[in-house]
Amino acid sequence: MDESQERAPERTAEELQPLAVSTARVVLWGELGWVAALVVILAVPALHEGERDWWPWVPVAGILLGLLGYSYVRRGRGNAAGAK
């Protein structure tokens, strides 16, 4: 291979635009994931009995922190002001 084939093509700023994604929607999908994890953990007894009795608290903490994050993003304060 010669040197021109080894280098990646240079990209301009126009090609590297950020995706237009709603931050609040991303947080809500994360919340849905934590709720699904909690349902699965509670539905399968082996996942919340014995040494794993603390497992249900992990998605509960995720849900609570996600709600805190969602309220932060929805209020648009601090760094969240630019999030849409």
Side-chain angles (χ1 to χ4, degrees):
M1 275 197 283
D2 61 34
E3 189 176 319
S4 63
Q5 291 176 338
E6 291 178 16
R7 287 194 281 174
E10 293 184 27
R11 297 177 188 230
T12 63
E14 294 173 358
E15 293 176 7
L16 300 175
Q17 297 298 321
L19 296 174
V21 178
S22 169
T23 306
R25 184 169 290 170
V26 171
V27 173
L28 286 177
W29 276 104
E31 285 288 312
L32 185 63
W34 282 118
V35 170
L38 180 60
V39 168
V40 169
I41 288 172
L42 293 177
V44 179
L47 295 179
H48 65 272
E49 293 177 349
E51 291 183 11
R52 297 178 179 164
D53 61 348
W54 58 272
W55 279 27
W57 293 108
V58 174
V60 168
I63 291 168
L64 293 175
L65 290 173
L67 289 173
L68 179 67
Y70 182 74
S71 67
Y72 181 78
V73 168
R74 293 295 294 167
R75 286 177 33 184
R77 302 185 88 187
N79 289 339
K84 295 181 181 181

XYZ file of all heavy atoms in Angstrom:
649
model
N 0.834 -1.181 0.000
C 0.000 0.000 0.000
C 0.875 1.238 0.000
O 1.859 1.302 0.704
C -0.876 0.036 1.250
C -2.150 -0.733 1.110
S -3.347 -0.298 2.358
C -2.721 -1.152 3.759
N 0.425 2.213 -0.740
C 1.175 3.455 -0.688
C 0.573 4.382 0.367
O -0.446 4.086 0.968
C 1.237 4.135 -2.063
C -0.129 4.498 -2.612
O -1.008 4.848 -1.809
O -0.310 4.440 -3.833
N 1.212 5.489 0.603
C 0.845 6.389 1.703
C -0.557 6.970 1.550
O -1.264 7.182 2.529
C 1.871 7.523 1.780
C 1.707 8.388 3.000
C 2.795 9.428 3.090
O 3.962 9.106 2.811
O 2.460 10.561 3.450
N -1.019 7.201 0.333
C -2.335 7.813 0.138
C -3.471 6.868 0.523
O -4.549 7.301 0.886
C -2.503 8.269 -1.316
O -2.458 7.138 -2.175
N -3.253 5.568 0.478
C -4.292 4.608 0.816
C -4.379 4.377 2.329
O -5.397 3.933 2.824
C -4.047 3.280 0.123
C -4.248 3.352 -1.379
C -3.908 2.033 -2.043
O -3.169 1.220 -1.481
N -4.417 1.839 -3.240
N -3.333 4.668 3.060
C -3.305 4.422 4.496
C -4.025 5.500 5.291
O -4.540 5.233 6.364
C -1.863 4.317 4.979
C -1.165 3.081 4.480
C 0.274 3.028 4.941
O 0.635 3.773 5.871
O 1.039 2.239 4.377
N -4.070 6.716 4.785
C -4.692 7.814 5.521
C -6.199 7.823 5.300
O -6.679 7.557 4.205
C -4.119 9.154 5.078
C -2.714 9.372 5.590
C -2.314 10.794 5.436
N -1.937 11.029 4.035
C -1.649 12.208 3.535
N -1.720 13.277 4.290
N -1.305 12.341 2.288
N -6.916 8.141 6.350
C -8.360 8.285 6.232
C -8.667 9.594 5.516
O -7.916 10.563 5.627
C -8.998 8.288 7.613
N -9.752 9.644 4.784
C -10.080 10.894 4.092
C -10.389 11.998 5.099
O -10.971 11.752 6.150
C -11.325 10.544 3.271
C -11.884 9.333 3.917
C -10.734 8.613 4.537
N -9.963 13.202 4.766
C -10.216 14.333 5.657
C -11.680 14.746 5.528
O -12.254 14.714 4.458
C -9.303 15.497 5.295
C -7.845 15.201 5.581
C -6.967 16.391 5.308
O -7.457 17.534 5.401
O -5.792 16.182 5.018
N -12.253 15.113 6.651
C -13.661 15.504 6.662
C -13.770 16.982 6.995
O -13.027 17.502 7.804
C -14.429 14.681 7.684
C -14.405 13.225 7.321
C -15.102 12.427 8.360
N -14.880 11.008 8.071
C -15.833 10.116 8.020
N -17.064 10.454 8.240
N -15.560 8.867 7.744
N -14.734 17.601 6.410
C -14.955 19.016 6.682
C -15.964 19.164 7.816
O -16.646 18.215 8.188
C -15.495 19.733 5.433
O -16.770 19.168 5.100
C -14.545 19.583 4.263
N -16.066 20.373 8.345
C -17.002 20.627 9.440
C -18.443 20.408 8.991
O -19.302 20.063 9.788
C -16.818 22.041 9.964
N -18.730 20.610 7.719
C -20.085 20.412 7.212
C -20.493 18.942 7.279
O -21.655 18.637 7.474
C -20.186 20.911 5.780
C -20.010 22.414 5.664
C -19.942 22.868 4.228
O -19.989 22.012 3.322
O -19.841 24.079 4.011
N -19.562 18.037 7.130
C -19.867 16.611 7.157
C -20.092 16.095 8.576
O -20.738 15.087 8.761
C -18.726 15.819 6.523
C -18.556 16.065 5.049
C -17.353 15.324 4.503
O -16.739 14.532 5.245
O -17.010 15.544 3.342
N -19.562 16.782 9.575
C -19.596 16.281 10.942
C -20.584 17.059 11.810
O -20.256 17.504 12.902
C -18.200 16.353 11.555
C -17.125 15.540 10.842
C -15.775 15.789 11.477
C -17.475 14.072 10.876
N -21.782 17.210 11.362
C -22.799 17.892 12.134
C -23.403 16.945 13.172
O -23.600 15.767 12.907
C -23.902 18.422 11.207
C -23.416 19.461 10.227
C -22.873 20.692 10.924
O -23.415 21.137 11.924
N -21.786 21.228 10.407
N -23.707 17.450 14.354
C -24.328 16.596 15.367
C -25.747 16.218 14.949
O -26.414 16.943 14.209
C -24.335 17.470 16.622
C -24.239 18.869 16.115
C -23.479 18.808 14.828
N -26.186 15.077 15.445
C -27.538 14.636 15.160
C -28.535 15.474 15.946
O -28.281 15.853 17.082
C -27.706 13.170 15.553
C -26.861 12.166 14.784
C -27.036 10.781 15.382
C -27.244 12.159 13.324
N -29.660 15.737 15.346
C -30.717 16.480 16.026
C -31.576 15.476 16.790
O -32.515 14.904 16.255
C -31.547 17.257 15.023
N -31.216 15.249 18.045
C -31.913 14.277 18.882
C -32.413 14.991 20.132
O -31.679 15.770 20.747
C -30.969 13.120 19.281
C -31.673 12.141 20.186
C -30.423 12.424 18.056
N -33.637 14.726 20.501
C -34.200 15.314 21.702
C -33.580 14.650 22.938
O -33.729 13.441 23.142
C -35.715 15.119 21.711
O -36.249 15.443 22.960
N -32.898 15.433 23.747
C -32.266 14.900 24.947
C -33.312 14.350 25.915
O -33.110 13.307 26.525
C -31.432 15.984 25.643
O -30.517 16.534 24.700
C -30.668 15.426 26.813
N -34.428 15.034 26.024
C -35.498 14.558 26.908
C -36.013 13.199 26.443
O -36.300 12.326 27.255
C -36.631 15.575 26.949
N -36.104 13.002 25.142
C -36.565 11.720 24.623
C -35.548 10.609 24.923
O -35.931 9.492 25.262
C -36.796 11.809 23.116
C -37.378 10.531 22.544
C -37.848 10.720 21.150
N -39.038 11.561 21.202
C -39.603 12.091 20.147
N -39.100 11.888 18.960
N -40.676 12.835 20.257
N -34.276 10.922 24.847
C -33.243 9.939 25.174
C -33.335 9.545 26.648
O -33.249 8.363 26.996
C -31.833 10.495 24.843
C -30.745 9.578 25.366
C -31.686 10.702 23.344
N -33.554 10.528 27.515
C -33.689 10.242 28.946
C -34.925 9.378 29.193
O -34.887 8.436 29.988
C -33.736 11.553 29.767
C -34.047 11.272 31.219
C -32.426 12.308 29.641
N -36.020 9.662 28.509
C -37.232 8.860 28.677
C -37.027 7.419 28.216
O -37.529 6.485 28.844
C -38.405 9.503 27.937
C -38.982 10.742 28.603
C -40.092 11.333 27.739
C -39.503 10.437 29.987
N -36.291 7.220 27.134
C -35.995 5.852 26.689
C -35.119 5.136 27.719
O -35.276 3.934 27.961
C -35.318 5.852 25.321
C -36.311 5.937 24.209
C -36.606 7.032 23.449
C -37.162 4.892 23.744
N -37.590 6.720 22.553
C -37.950 5.410 22.706
C -37.337 3.561 24.113
C -38.888 4.646 22.017
C -38.278 2.800 23.429
C -39.036 3.341 22.399
N -34.201 5.861 28.343
C -33.404 5.267 29.412
C -34.270 4.881 30.599
O -34.083 3.813 31.199
N -35.229 5.731 30.915
C -36.173 5.421 31.992
C -36.950 4.145 31.668
O -37.151 3.295 32.529
C -37.175 6.571 32.172
C -36.613 7.764 32.861
C -36.377 7.511 34.319
O -37.262 6.997 35.017
O -35.275 7.832 34.770
N -37.395 4.030 30.440
C -38.126 2.838 30.016
C -37.258 1.589 30.164
O -37.741 0.531 30.586
C -38.596 2.992 28.574
C -39.463 1.886 28.018
C -40.764 1.788 28.782
C -39.735 2.124 26.549
N -35.974 1.718 29.857
C -35.049 0.595 30.033
C -34.926 0.179 31.484
O -34.909 -1.017 31.805
N -34.847 1.159 32.396
C -34.760 0.833 33.819
C -36.047 0.201 34.333
O -36.010 -0.716 35.152
C -34.435 2.077 34.646
C -32.994 2.464 34.584
C -32.483 3.628 34.096
C -31.871 1.693 35.029
N -31.113 3.613 34.207
C -30.715 2.441 34.777
C -31.731 0.445 35.607
C -29.440 1.989 35.091
C -30.461 -0.009 35.915
C -29.339 0.749 35.658
N -37.182 0.677 33.851
C -38.459 0.082 34.253
C -38.535 -1.362 33.762
O -38.963 -2.259 34.508
C -39.645 0.923 33.730
C -40.963 0.188 33.916
C -39.683 2.277 34.433
N -38.112 -1.601 32.524
C -38.112 -2.969 31.992
C -37.180 -3.865 32.812
O -37.524 -5.021 33.111
C -37.690 -2.960 30.529
N -36.014 -3.340 33.192
C -35.083 -4.122 34.008
C -35.694 -4.462 35.359
O -35.553 -5.591 35.847
C -33.774 -3.350 34.196
N -36.394 -3.517 35.956
C -37.038 -3.771 37.249
C -38.117 -4.835 37.120
O -38.207 -5.742 37.953
C -37.634 -2.479 37.809
C -38.336 -2.594 39.159
C -37.363 -3.078 40.226
C -38.952 -1.262 39.545
N -38.903 -4.778 36.052
C -39.957 -5.776 35.843
C -39.352 -7.167 35.680
O -39.825 -8.140 36.270
C -40.825 -5.393 34.623
C -41.731 -6.539 34.207
C -41.638 -4.153 34.928
N -38.278 -7.267 34.895
C -37.639 -8.568 34.684
C -37.059 -9.097 35.993
O -37.233 -10.271 36.334
C -36.538 -8.471 33.604
C -35.680 -9.722 33.565
C -37.160 -8.208 32.242
N -36.396 -8.247 36.748
C -35.796 -8.686 38.012
C -36.869 -9.159 38.994
O -36.700 -10.167 39.682
C -34.940 -7.562 38.625
C -33.669 -7.384 37.808
C -34.592 -7.852 40.075
C -32.833 -6.188 38.193
N -37.994 -8.450 39.035
C -39.053 -8.850 39.948
C -39.820 -10.077 39.453
O -40.363 -10.845 40.247
C -40.017 -7.686 40.183
C -39.425 -6.499 40.942
C -40.450 -5.386 41.041
C -38.918 -6.908 42.304
N -39.852 -10.293 38.134
C -40.585 -11.430 37.567
C -39.817 -12.740 37.690
O -40.414 -13.810 37.743
C -40.912 -11.162 36.095
N -38.487 -12.673 37.730
C -37.660 -13.874 37.824
C -37.143 -13.979 39.256
O -36.257 -13.214 39.654
C -36.485 -13.813 36.818
C -35.610 -15.045 36.937
C -36.995 -13.630 35.402
N -37.685 -14.917 40.019
C -37.287 -15.004 41.446
C -35.788 -15.192 41.665
O -35.242 -14.681 42.639
C -38.062 -16.215 41.956
C -39.222 -16.343 41.033
C -38.738 -15.864 39.702
N -35.112 -15.899 40.772
C -33.679 -16.132 40.957
C -32.870 -14.836 40.890
O -31.734 -14.795 41.354
C -33.165 -17.098 39.894
N -33.458 -13.792 40.332
C -32.745 -12.523 40.201
C -32.931 -11.593 41.404
O -32.332 -10.517 41.440
C -33.181 -11.794 38.926
C -32.835 -12.498 37.620
C -33.357 -11.684 36.448
C -31.341 -12.723 37.498
N -33.762 -11.974 42.368
C -33.910 -11.096 43.530
C -33.985 -11.862 44.856
O -34.468 -11.337 45.852
C -35.149 -10.195 43.380
C -36.459 -10.901 43.359
N -37.022 -11.376 42.208
C -37.323 -11.211 44.348
C -38.178 -11.932 42.477
N -38.381 -11.857 43.785
N -33.470 -13.068 44.856
C -33.444 -13.858 46.088
C -32.007 -14.202 46.460
O -31.115 -14.211 45.619
C -34.245 -15.145 45.908
C -35.735 -14.908 45.743
C -36.513 -16.183 45.497
O -35.881 -17.231 45.244
O -37.746 -16.121 45.536
N -31.793 -14.509 47.724
C -30.468 -14.920 48.199
C -29.478 -13.778 48.164
O -29.756 -12.677 48.624
N -28.306 -14.054 47.586
C -27.251 -13.038 47.519
C -27.600 -11.894 46.577
O -26.957 -10.864 46.591
C -25.938 -13.682 47.079
C -25.348 -14.609 48.116
C -24.009 -15.170 47.680
O -23.442 -14.676 46.680
O -23.522 -16.088 48.337
N -28.614 -12.073 45.750
C -29.015 -11.038 44.801
C -30.208 -10.230 45.308
O -30.880 -9.566 44.520
C -29.373 -11.682 43.463
C -28.221 -12.385 42.809
C -28.653 -13.024 41.528
N -27.522 -13.686 40.897
C -27.638 -14.564 39.939
N -28.825 -14.904 39.480
N -26.570 -15.125 39.414
N -30.451 -10.234 46.584
C -31.612 -9.519 47.111
C -31.505 -7.997 46.926
O -32.500 -7.289 47.005
C -31.837 -9.856 48.584
C -30.668 -9.480 49.471
O -29.590 -9.176 48.938
O -30.846 -9.503 50.703
N -30.324 -7.484 46.635
C -30.129 -6.056 46.418
C -30.357 -5.647 44.967
O -30.444 -4.461 44.665
C -28.717 -5.647 46.840
C -27.631 -6.403 46.122
C -27.086 -7.584 46.493
C -26.987 -6.016 44.912
N -26.131 -7.973 45.590
C -26.051 -7.025 44.596
C -27.101 -4.936 44.065
C -25.246 -6.977 43.463
C -26.287 -4.887 42.936
C -25.382 -5.897 42.652
N -30.484 -6.604 44.045
C -30.615 -6.284 42.626
C -31.804 -5.393 42.281
O -31.671 -4.523 41.421
C -30.654 -7.567 41.800
C -29.311 -8.154 41.524
C -28.187 -8.024 42.280
C -28.955 -8.976 40.420
N -27.157 -8.721 41.719
C -27.599 -9.319 40.568
C -29.641 -9.468 39.330
C -26.927 -10.116 39.652
C -28.979 -10.259 38.423
C -27.628 -10.573 38.584
N -32.975 -5.553 42.887
C -34.078 -4.653 42.515
C -33.794 -3.182 42.811
O -34.360 -2.302 42.170
C -35.252 -5.148 43.368
C -34.932 -6.561 43.672
C -33.433 -6.626 43.774
N -32.899 -2.919 43.744
C -32.609 -1.533 44.084
C -31.777 -0.823 43.018
O -31.781 0.415 42.959
C -31.928 -1.456 45.443
C -32.866 -1.875 46.527
C -32.821 -3.037 47.246
C -34.014 -1.174 46.975
N -33.877 -3.090 48.121
C -34.631 -1.952 47.971
C -34.606 0.047 46.624
C -35.787 -1.552 48.618
C -35.757 0.437 47.283
C -36.329 -0.354 48.259
N -31.099 -1.570 42.186
C -30.296 -0.942 41.123
C -31.204 -0.234 40.115
O -31.012 0.957 39.826
C -29.362 -1.975 40.457
C -28.648 -1.365 39.266
C -28.366 -2.512 41.472
N -32.215 -0.921 39.523
C -33.092 -0.182 38.614
C -33.935 0.882 39.317
O -34.269 1.900 38.703
C -33.976 -1.256 37.977
C -33.788 -2.482 38.761
C -32.505 -2.354 39.504
N -34.254 0.680 40.589
C -34.984 1.719 41.318
C -34.132 2.982 41.389
O -34.620 4.098 41.161
C -35.390 1.226 42.728
C -35.874 2.376 43.592
C -36.458 0.145 42.623
N -32.851 2.818 41.686
C -31.948 3.978 41.715
C -31.827 4.598 40.322
O -31.805 5.827 40.181
C -30.571 3.557 42.223
N -31.760 3.758 39.285
C -31.699 4.268 37.918
C -32.936 5.065 37.549
O -32.852 6.104 36.890
N -34.094 4.582 37.975
C -35.348 5.286 37.698
C -35.365 6.636 38.413
O -35.702 7.667 37.813
C -36.557 4.418 38.122
C -36.675 3.208 37.194
C -37.841 5.233 38.124
C -37.637 2.142 37.691
N -34.985 6.649 39.681
C -34.989 7.908 40.436
C -33.989 8.918 39.873
O -34.307 10.104 39.730
C -34.709 7.635 41.910
C -35.800 6.861 42.646
C -35.354 6.541 44.066
C -37.105 7.641 42.645
N -32.792 8.450 39.551
C -31.800 9.367 38.971
C -32.219 9.827 37.577
O -31.957 10.970 37.185
C -30.428 8.699 38.934
C -29.770 8.504 40.291
C -28.490 7.680 40.146
C -29.471 9.834 40.936
N -32.869 8.947 36.833
C -33.374 9.333 35.514
C -34.455 10.392 35.611
O -34.509 11.318 34.792
N -35.331 10.275 36.600
C -36.359 11.298 36.796
C -35.725 12.637 37.169
O -36.159 13.694 36.707
C -37.341 10.859 37.872
C -38.282 9.718 37.483
C -39.092 9.268 38.699
C -39.190 10.136 36.347
N -34.679 12.575 37.981
C -33.951 13.795 38.323
C -33.322 14.406 37.068
O -33.419 15.611 36.832
C -32.874 13.482 39.371
C -32.014 14.647 39.827
C -32.864 15.648 40.603
C -30.877 14.139 40.677
N -32.702 13.574 36.255
C -32.102 14.050 35.010
C -33.137 14.596 34.041
O -32.914 15.606 33.371
N -34.285 13.932 33.964
C -35.351 14.394 33.077
C -35.855 15.762 33.503
O -36.048 16.649 32.662
C -36.496 13.386 33.058
C -37.608 13.772 32.125
C -37.450 13.665 30.748
C -38.811 14.251 32.617
C -38.477 14.026 29.892
C -39.836 14.615 31.767
C -39.665 14.499 30.404
O -40.675 14.862 29.551
N -36.042 15.951 34.804
C -36.509 17.257 35.271
C -35.456 18.335 35.007
O -35.798 19.464 34.659
C -36.874 17.206 36.752
O -35.731 16.998 37.541
N -34.189 17.982 35.114
C -33.098 18.921 34.826
C -33.102 19.327 33.363
O -32.998 20.505 33.019
C -31.760 18.287 35.211
C -30.564 19.174 34.981
C -30.255 20.189 35.873
C -29.732 18.989 33.881
C -29.156 21.004 35.680
C -28.637 19.800 33.678
C -28.350 20.805 34.574
O -27.272 21.605 34.371
N -33.269 18.352 32.482
C -33.260 18.634 31.048
C -34.505 19.431 30.653
O -34.435 20.358 29.852
C -33.174 17.313 30.244
C -33.446 17.530 28.775
C -31.810 16.680 30.431
N -35.652 19.080 31.203
C -36.895 19.775 30.860
C -36.895 21.225 31.340
O -37.477 22.093 30.686
C -38.103 19.044 31.443
C -38.360 17.699 30.838
C -38.743 17.759 29.398
N -40.042 18.414 29.289
C -40.568 18.852 28.188
N -39.932 18.721 27.061
N -41.739 19.429 28.170
N -36.254 21.502 32.469
C -36.211 22.878 32.971
C -35.235 23.715 32.191
O -35.369 24.946 32.147
C -35.826 22.888 34.455
C -36.973 22.418 35.322
C -36.658 22.331 36.774
N -35.711 23.333 37.253
C -35.268 23.361 38.477
N -35.667 22.453 39.335
N -34.413 24.276 38.859
N -34.232 23.094 31.577
C -33.282 23.830 30.746
C -32.380 24.766 31.499
O -32.123 25.875 31.085
N -31.861 24.303 32.624
C -30.958 25.139 33.411
C -29.530 24.634 33.242
O -29.296 23.475 32.999
C -31.352 25.093 34.869
C -32.789 25.543 35.075
C -33.137 25.604 36.490
N -32.745 26.953 36.937
C -32.786 27.338 38.185
N -33.169 26.514 39.109
N -32.443 28.549 38.529
N -28.580 25.506 33.398
C -27.164 25.132 33.336
C -26.788 24.607 31.956
O -27.153 25.195 30.947
N -26.062 23.505 31.934
C -25.629 22.917 30.663
C -26.791 22.356 29.867
O -26.659 22.087 28.695
C -24.604 21.822 30.916
C -23.282 22.377 31.363
O -22.977 23.534 31.129
N -22.486 21.561 32.034
N -27.938 22.130 30.511
C -29.091 21.574 29.827
C -29.833 22.631 29.018
O -30.778 22.323 28.323
C -30.033 20.912 30.826
N -29.414 23.896 29.078
C -30.125 24.946 28.366
C -30.099 24.702 26.858
O -31.039 25.045 26.164
C -29.512 26.300 28.698
N -29.030 24.118 26.348
C -28.939 23.862 24.915
C -29.562 22.541 24.488
O -29.692 22.269 23.310
N -29.968 21.716 25.430
C -30.564 20.418 25.111
C -32.008 20.612 24.684
O -32.755 21.354 25.290
C -30.496 19.503 26.320
N -32.363 19.931 23.611
C -33.749 20.044 23.113
C -34.375 18.691 23.038
O -33.809 17.710 22.865
C -33.756 20.689 21.753
C -33.276 22.126 21.814
C -33.308 22.761 20.470
C -32.803 24.176 20.582
N -32.804 24.889 19.365
